[in-house]
Amino acid sequence: MFDALTDRLGKVFDGLTGRGALSEKDVNEALREIRVALLEADVALPVVKKFIDDVRPLAIGENVIKSIKPGQLVIKIVHDALVETLGGDEEQPPLKIDSPPAVIMMAGLQGSGKTTTTGKLAKRLKDVERKKVLVASLDVRRPAAMEQLRILAQQVGVDALPIVEGQLPPDIARRAIQAAKFGGYDVIILDTAGRTTLDDQMMNEAAQIAEIANPQETLLVADALTGQDAVETAKRFNERLPLTGLVLTRMDGDGRGGAALSMRAVTGLPIRFIGMGEKVDGL
Ligand SMILES: Nc1nc2c(ncn2[C@@H]2O[C@H](COP(=O)(O)OP(=O)(O)O)[C@@H](O)[C@H]2O)c(=O)[nH]1
Ligand SMILES: [Mg+2]
């Protein structure tokens, strides 16, 4: 996914190390190339701009120009800033699912992969963490959505909350929690409805569900192919929901990975899972 970006940056870095002395002009030239590389990888413009603005004063600082290996130092500065933007090196804490029934809420735009990821995550929690998992669809807008989750649940061998026609999402959330308490479930995954675009009604509904269900984890599911739009999506959801992590789907596709970097940068949230395909074990 990040191969193209890594290659590009590698070339810029090679150019820097190939030289003994570095002038401010050389560093600026390298930063310009890094900027282009990030934009070509679909990292959102404001994120790129901030990144370059943060790095520049460090990279053209006196101790860099005067150091014995200025190229190496610039590379280290850029690398450290990238890692900070990405949260790349830090150890991920496990999902907080320790007080049963723990609620995991899936949020995101329609078609982002919420239902598919719900199935994948349910399977993983069941198979790897030996959890008793209940999934519930709160998507009352698309008639097929509930059925889709029911079939997925059956396929991965977890229980789905029985469908009650005409029930509204907040009530389904309440019923799911009751059912999980009575049924001795460790985890409930709430698969919410999305819209094609961000709108207030959708946000209000999601916020209301979060209030009722008090999720321990609220994961924003986003399509890695959304590129520049990812920032707006992540920002808006992060303002209204108690997000705890990101899931990037379609990382098996030909997207350039920039969405991941952008969303991580604007929310500061960890990327919890990466969707790699339509099958239930592609997580
Ligand atoms: N290639 C690929 N397709 C995915 C992935 N996740 C979901 N999909 C597909 O994207 C479409 C929409 O997914 P769905 O889970 O129904 O989205 P929802 O509207 O957010 O619930 C379906 O056709 C999925 O099979 C993924 O990681 N990779
Ligand atoms: Mg769905």
Side-chain angles (χ1 to χ4, degrees):
M1 193 75 189
F2 296 115
D3 288 357
L5 178 58
T6 310
D7 280 357
R8 286 283 312 251
L9 291 179
K11 289 212 183 81
V12 179
F13 289 166
D14 286 348
L16 284 171
T17 40
R19 266 175 271 178
L22 276 189
S23 67
E24 190 168 324
K25 188 166 154 281
D26 296 330
V27 175
N28 275 324
E29 179 59 34
L31 287 178
R32 208 165 13 250
E33 286 171 36
I34 291 167
R35 184 172 184 278
V36 172
L38 290 171
L39 287 172
E40 282 184 356
D42 249 349
V43 180
L45 185 57
V47 175
V48 174
K49 203 174 162 306
K50 179 168 185 309
F51 178 80
I52 298 292
D53 288 349
D54 288 350
V55 164
R56 189 188 312 275
L58 300 172
I60 59 178
E62 201 144 306
N63 42 356
V64 172
I65 309 284
K66 284 195 184 144
S67 75
I68 303 169
K69 289 184 172 164
Q72 228 81 41
L73 207 49
V74 172
I75 291 167
K76 184 174 181 318
I77 289 166
V78 172
H79 176 266
D80 289 354
L82 267 178
V83 168
E84 195 177 315
T85 307
L86 301 182
D89 280 359
E90 63 199 46
E91 185 79 14
Q92 288 242 349
L95 281 181
K96 271 207 233 71
I97 44 172
D98 43 14
S99 58
V103 178
I104 302 176
M105 176 172 167
M106 311 298 278
L109 297 178
Q110 186 177 323
S112 58
K114 292 181 298 300
T115 305
T116 309
T117 306
T118 300
K120 292 176 179 177
L121 185 55
K123 182 175 194 303
R124 161 151 338 170
L125 292 176
K126 180 187 92 129
D127 292 348
V128 181
E129 309 217 9
R130 304 271 158 226
K131 299 286 185 194
K132 187 174 174 192
V133 182
L134 178 69
V135 299
S137 172
L138 276 56
D139 189 349
V140 296
R141 290 209 189 78
R142 283 189 313 127
M146 297 194 143
E147 188 59 14
Q148 181 193 356
L149 185 62
R150 192 188 65 77
I151 293 167
L152 255 179
Q154 203 170 37
Q155 201 181 331
V156 303
V158 304
D159 293 330
L161 187 74
I163 298 170
V164 173
E165 294 282 342
Q167 198 168 39
L168 293 174
D171 294 324
I172 303 175
R174 288 192 191 93
R175 183 160 59 89
I177 292 165
Q178 279 302 316
K181 279 183 184 153
F182 289 134
Y185 289 90
D186 301 308
V187 182
I188 319 173
I189 309 180
L190 298 178
D191 177 24
T192 63
R195 294 286 184 83
T196 42
T197 50
L198 294 158
D199 65 68
D200 285 340
Q201 205 195 332
M202 165 191 167
M203 283 299 175
N204 290 341
E205 181 182 297
Q208 193 191 359
I209 291 165
E211 210 156 284
I212 290 167
N214 193 20
Q216 282 195 298
E217 293 281 351
T218 306
L219 304 178
L220 175 63
V221 181
D223 183 339
L225 308 183
T226 45
Q228 302 286 322
D229 289 341
V231 164
E232 189 57 21
T233 307
K235 258 196 200 149
R236 296 277 300 275
F237 275 95
N238 201 33
E239 280 163 13
R240 295 297 308 274
L241 294 178
L243 295 183
T244 56
L246 304 168
V247 178
L248 264 294
T249 60
R250 295 208 185 78
M251 289 293 268
D252 51 303
D254 59 1
R256 287 159 285 183
L261 311 202
S262 305
M263 302 214 324
R264 172 81 183 81
V266 295
T267 62
L269 292 167
I271 294 168
R272 287 309 206 145
F273 301 104
I274 287 187
M276 298 290 292
E278 306 197 29
K279 302 227 171 67
V280 289
D281 45 11
L283 190 67

